[in-house]
Amino acid sequence: MGSWGSRGVCLVIEDDQDIRNLLTLILTGIGFEVHAVSSARDAVRAAKALPLVLVTVDLGLPDGDGLDVAHDIRKLSDAPLLIVTAHAEPHDELAGLASGAAAYLVKPFRPRELTELVDRICPAGTPLASMAAREVADEDRRH
């Protein structure tokens, strides 16, 4: 299956490098190939190019609103969206879920909280993950 993780490709959208690195470490550890970006512009570009099975989105991005990014990615991909943010008010969570997110996680979070949410919204072996893994394997064979 090439260099891709067995659970497929996860796009991490987070401007804080420490949190981006933590998300990458945790998600790689549970089997994802992580592509991490720090801006709204790079997030949409990556979403167009990658066979995504999961997306994490921070709401506070330097060049755009994370909710707008979530809406844009939802138009490009059926991958579950997980909002990971410091915005902890109930209206923030409702807006996040209304943007197409499958779940909402408030920072700071425990790694176990993240892995449990990910396992719930993107279980290993789901049709989307299996389809994306086949697409990547087919692409690897062509090259």
Side-chain angles (χ1 to χ4, degrees), residues 13 55-59 65-85 90-105:
I13 308 161
V55 179
T56 71
V57 183
D58 179 20
L59 294 184
D65 184 311
L67 291 176
D68 293 337
V69 172
H71 282 291
D72 291 345
I73 290 175
R74 179 52 56 230
K75 294 174 191 171
L76 300 168
S77 174
D78 291 330
L81 297 170
L82 169 59
I83 298 203
V84 182
T85 185
H91 69 273
D92 294 320
E93 183 172 355
L94 291 174
L97 296 173
S99 74
Y104 196 94
L105 181 62

Side-chain angles (χ1 to χ4, degrees), residues 9-71:
V9 180
C10 173
L11 176 60
V12 169
I13 308 161
E14 171 61 59
D15 63 316
D16 182 287
Q17 184 175 355
D18 290 336
I19 296 172
R20 192 169 58 247
N21 290 344
L22 177 62
L23 289 167
T24 298
L25 179 70
I26 294 167
L27 293 167
T28 300
I30 60 172
F32 289 94
E33 171 70 22
V34 176
H35 184 89
V37 299
S38 60
S39 70
R41 184 188 71 238
D42 290 344
V44 173
R45 187 177 302 137
K48 289 178 181 175
L50 297 169
L52 301 174
V53 298
L54 178 66
V55 179
T56 71
V57 183
D58 179 20
L59 294 184
L61 298 170
D63 65 336
D65 184 311
L67 291 176
D68 293 337
V69 172
H71 282 291

